[in-house]
Amino acid sequence: MRFHGKKRRKKVAKREDYISWDEYFMGVAMLSAKRSKDPNTQVGACIVSQDHKILSMGYNGFPIGCSDDDFSWDREGDDNKYYYSTHSELNAILNYRGGSLEGAVIYVTLFPCNECAKAIIQSGIKEIVYAEDKYHETMSVITSKLMLRSAGVLMRQYEPSGREVLITL
Ligand SMILES: Nc1ccn([C@H]2C[C@H](O)[C@@H](COP(=O)(O)O)O2)c(=O)n1
Ligand SMILES: [Zn+2]
């Protein structure tokens, strides 16, 4: 092959074992979940543009000014975490500092609840890629899917590749 009139040396071949877009964005969502202080379920989300740019990230936690040490992480009783925690998907939407999320894709480690589904629909996100769906039998997830389907938001389950990535932090 010729390059600027000169005979070109054989090119060095590219790496072939690079991670896919799905692995990359679900990996970022999984890493975000590691920031959660919830002792029972840690959820992470990563919002991506149609041209594969990361727009925002989030994980489940208490609002700014509501200390993780003062507010309750209990699952039951009058004073429980469900009153206080913001879900990862909503945090990712609220963390976005750009303009519109129209047409974006959200990668999330757990299928969105009905409240997050409303926020996803209203923000213009058009596709959900989720890893787990452990609450699929709850009314929250059943109604979430009803709304998402009705609004034309695509939903697909992430297919784990089984690839292990070692990151020493
Ligand atoms: N799609 C979801 C579902 C749940 N979360 C958060 C809300 C809680 O902090 C936790 C669930 O706790 P559990 O009932 O399993 O003890 O996960 C979320 O961020 N996104
Ligand atoms: Zn939610």
Side-chain angles (χ1 to χ4, degrees):
M1 193 196 288
R2 299 214 149 250
F3 182 70
H4 290 297
K6 293 187 185 136
K7 199 164 179 211
R8 195 176 183 181
R9 279 190 297 130
K10 194 172 178 300
K11 279 200 298 180
V12 174
K14 70 175 185 195
R15 274 181 67 225
E16 292 295 349
D17 62 342
Y18 54 90
I19 59 173
S20 68
W21 287 123
D22 267 9
E23 288 174 317
Y24 179 32
F25 300 133
M26 190 55 82
V28 169
M30 287 171 174
L31 189 61
S32 301
K34 299 278 181 206
R35 279 285 305 156
S36 175
K37 321 297 183 307
D38 190 321
N40 196 51
T41 302
Q42 303 82 43
V43 188
C46 174
I47 303 178
V48 179
S49 68
Q50 283 165 329
D51 60 344
H52 302 122
K53 305 281 188 290
I54 293 178
L55 301 175
S56 190
M57 284 168 277
Y59 56 88
N60 54 325
F62 297 154
I64 295 164
C66 303
S67 165
D68 296 309
D69 300 314
D70 296 343
F71 283 78
S72 167
W73 284 109
D74 286 353
R75 300 183 76 223
E76 282 159 14
D78 287 344
D79 190 31
N80 67 65
K81 67 177 179 182
Y82 301 105
Y83 291 120
Y84 310 122
S85 64
T86 307
H87 289 192
S88 67
E89 304 90 314
L90 187 58
N91 268 332
I93 291 169
L94 296 172
N95 286 342
Y96 183 52
R97 289 287 174 269
S100 162
L101 289 174
E102 196 66 46
V105 181
I106 187 164
Y107 285 76
V108 61
T109 58
L110 182 59
F111 196 92
C113 73
N114 61 308
E115 293 299 330
C116 289
K118 294 177 211 173
I120 288 169
I121 293 166
Q122 293 302 84
S123 68
I125 291 172
K126 286 289 175 281
E127 186 176 357
I128 297 167
V129 185
Y130 60 96
E132 270 188 79
D133 194 10
K134 67 173 177 172
Y135 291 128
H136 63 100
E137 284 172 342
T138 64
M139 282 315 291
S140 169
V141 170
I142 291 168
T143 54
S144 168
K145 286 177 184 169
L146 276 178
M147 289 187 281
L148 292 164
R149 215 170 284 128
S150 174
V153 176
L154 301 176
M155 298 165 255
R156 73 178 164 91
Q157 188 153 27
Y158 173 73
E159 288 176 23
S161 62
R163 190 200 299 272
E164 289 187 352
V165 177
L166 177 69
I167 303 173
T168 306
L169 301 171

